[in-house]
Amino acid sequence: MKKDFSALSFSEKERICDSVFDCNGPYWHLYTDGTRMQNIFCNEEDFKIGMWCLAMTLFPCRSARALTFELMSNHLHLIMAGQRNGCIDAFELLVSRLKRIYAKTGRIIDWNSFKMEILPIEDIQTLRNEIIYVNRNAFVANPAYTPDSYPWGGGCAYFCPWLKHIKTTPLGNLKVNNQRALLHTRDVAPFSQLLEVDGMPFIPSFCDIKLGESIFRDARSYFNSLTRNAEAFSQIASRLKDSIFLTDEELYSVICSHISKEYSIKSPSQLRAQQKIDTARHMHFNYNASNQQLRRMLRLDLSILEELFP
């Protein structure tokens, strides 16, 4: 009799995850730099266009698979499995589709700054951290979302038992005109088995959520990693040259931990002036804390922070 996965030991689960990792690589973090790019997705309709373009790109793709993704207003993240050239080709196809659709709608976008970077992911723990990092991206940027409620990314599909209860429809079952309206193309035949729900592509039908989930030992280990890995997030942010990667609440927790070790002080309000400045430097250089975050956390004058970190 097959052993219940939930009954396996930690080491047994880890061996299974390692095997999955070894059999499905190589892995990549593909992303664009939002600091250089104007907003591409400005409203719900824009994000729907982006989702359908991504679904059309990934659904028939055999050389690369997405484990998760996040579309943000001016950039995107993709965690991919497959050969490097296949991942690059998928990105270029995605951009060509976006360009064509935006040109048809009259939107003027300077696409020259929408450039891709692709970084290898060498080991299973790094892959876990990168998946978590991407699934947190909108949550960190916008307090309206949690990592599992953002509709324009793969995080909302991770370890979600409700997915099996959602009624989906193969795109080919819709009227041809409806298919063309969703896909913004006349050639809809290659996408007939792509699943649709309420006018949106069903994420697990074009993004390999099951593979992404299988990299983690279980749902608990995934959930625990979402808010308890500041050091790993710091390393990834440094690699990607991201600006902010911790929420105020997370940063406050890191500050309290730091000042407790450094000064045996429990609250930032107990810090002396020089201790506040030294703590600000530590948080800025090690955790990318913004001046506004430091102003809120440490109650330092903004002019002081702007002089320290112009």
Side-chain angles (χ1 to χ4, degrees):
M1 174 183 280
K2 187 176 180 181
K3 193 173 182 180
D4 179 11
F5 186 81
S6 63
L8 298 178
S9 68
F10 179 96
S11 59
E12 287 173 324
K13 290 180 179 180
E14 196 68 11
R15 279 196 295 271
I16 292 172
C17 292
D18 285 336
S19 177
V20 171
F21 176 85
D22 292 339
C23 293
N24 290 278
Y27 303 92
W28 311 90
H29 190 155
L30 188 155
Y31 66 99
T32 63
D33 185 352
T35 64
R36 301 179 184 177
M37 188 64 190
Q38 69 186 94
N39 283 355
I40 309 167
F41 310 113
C42 300
N43 51 47
E44 184 173 334
E45 187 57 35
D46 290 347
F47 275 105
K48 284 185 177 180
I49 289 172
M51 290 287 284
W52 279 111
C53 286
L54 187 61
M56 293 166 65
T57 299
L58 296 174
F59 176 74
C61 187
R62 297 292 175 263
S63 58
R65 291 174 290 170
L67 280 66
T68 195
F69 67 94
E70 202 98 322
L71 299 184
M72 302 292 285
S73 59
N74 57 11
H75 69 283
L76 62 81
H77 291 270
L78 283 162
I79 302 298
M80 306 285 287
Q83 294 305 313
R84 185 176 187 275
N85 287 343
C87 297
I88 294 172
D89 290 345
F91 175 79
E92 290 177 348
L93 180 57
L94 169 65
V95 174
S96 69
R97 286 197 165 107
L98 287 170
K99 286 180 179 179
R100 178 180 57 81
I101 293 172
Y102 275 56
K104 285 172 61 177
T105 59
R107 283 278 300 279
I108 299 175
I109 300 285
D110 179 7
W111 295 99
N112 291 325
S113 299
F114 197 58
K115 301 297 184 184
M116 173 211 71
E117 299 287 344
I118 184 167
L119 298 175
I121 301 173
E122 305 288 0
D123 60 77
I124 189 170
Q125 190 55 52
T126 301
L127 179 57
R128 288 168 176 162
N129 293 338
E130 302 266 354
I131 290 172
I132 294 286
Y133 188 89
V134 170
N135 288 351
R136 283 169 43 92
N137 206 244
F139 156 72
V140 172
N142 191 331
Y145 297 105
T146 69
D148 60 359
S149 70
Y150 188 64
W152 320 114
C156 61
Y158 266 65
F159 297 100
C160 178
W162 287 102
L163 288 180
K164 62 186 178 183
H165 301 293
I166 294 176
K167 184 178 179 181
T168 60
T169 304
L171 204 60
N173 290 8
L174 303 180
K175 293 181 179 179
V176 172
N177 285 343
N178 291 345
Q179 295 180 54
R180 289 173 174 169
L182 291 172
L183 299 176
H184 296 271
T185 184
R186 295 189 61 81
D187 184 16
V188 296
F191 313 105
S192 61
Q193 296 306 306
L194 179 60
L195 298 181
E196 174 268 349
V197 55
D198 196 26
M200 287 275 290
F202 184 55
I203 290 172
S205 71
F206 67 89
C207 181
D208 200 339
I209 300 296
K210 288 190 178 298
L211 175 56
E213 290 177 341
S214 66
I215 296 300
F216 298 87
R217 289 183 296 278
D218 46 39
R220 180 187 293 168
S221 68
Y222 169 81
F223 181 79
N224 283 340
S225 298
L226 281 171
T227 57
R228 299 184 182 181
N229 222 346
E231 295 294 338
F233 301 151
S234 171
Q235 293 170 10
I236 296 170
S238 176
R239 200 162 78 121
L240 272 56
K241 299 180 176 63
D242 260 359
S243 53
I244 298 174
F245 58 89
L246 294 178
T247 65
D248 280 6
E249 291 79 6
E250 291 169 334
L251 184 66
Y252 185 80
S253 178
V254 172
I255 288 175
C256 288
S257 176
H258 171 73
I259 64 176
S260 176
K261 293 176 184 176
E262 194 73 15
Y263 308 114
S264 299
I265 289 175
K266 292 184 178 180
S267 170
S269 63
Q270 297 174 297
L271 291 170
R272 296 192 298 272
Q274 186 58 49
Q275 290 173 336
K276 286 185 178 184
I277 290 174
D278 292 342
T279 300
R281 285 196 176 100
H282 179 80
M283 292 300 128
H284 173 84
F285 290 114
N286 292 283
Y287 295 93
N288 281 23
S290 70
N291 285 353
Q292 288 293 349
Q293 284 182 312
L294 293 172
R295 179 187 64 79
R296 292 191 292 269
M297 302 295 108
L298 298 173
R299 296 182 181 178
L300 278 168
D301 192 277
L302 187 58
S303 62
I304 295 174
L305 291 165
E306 288 177 343
E307 185 174 338
L308 287 170
F309 318 117

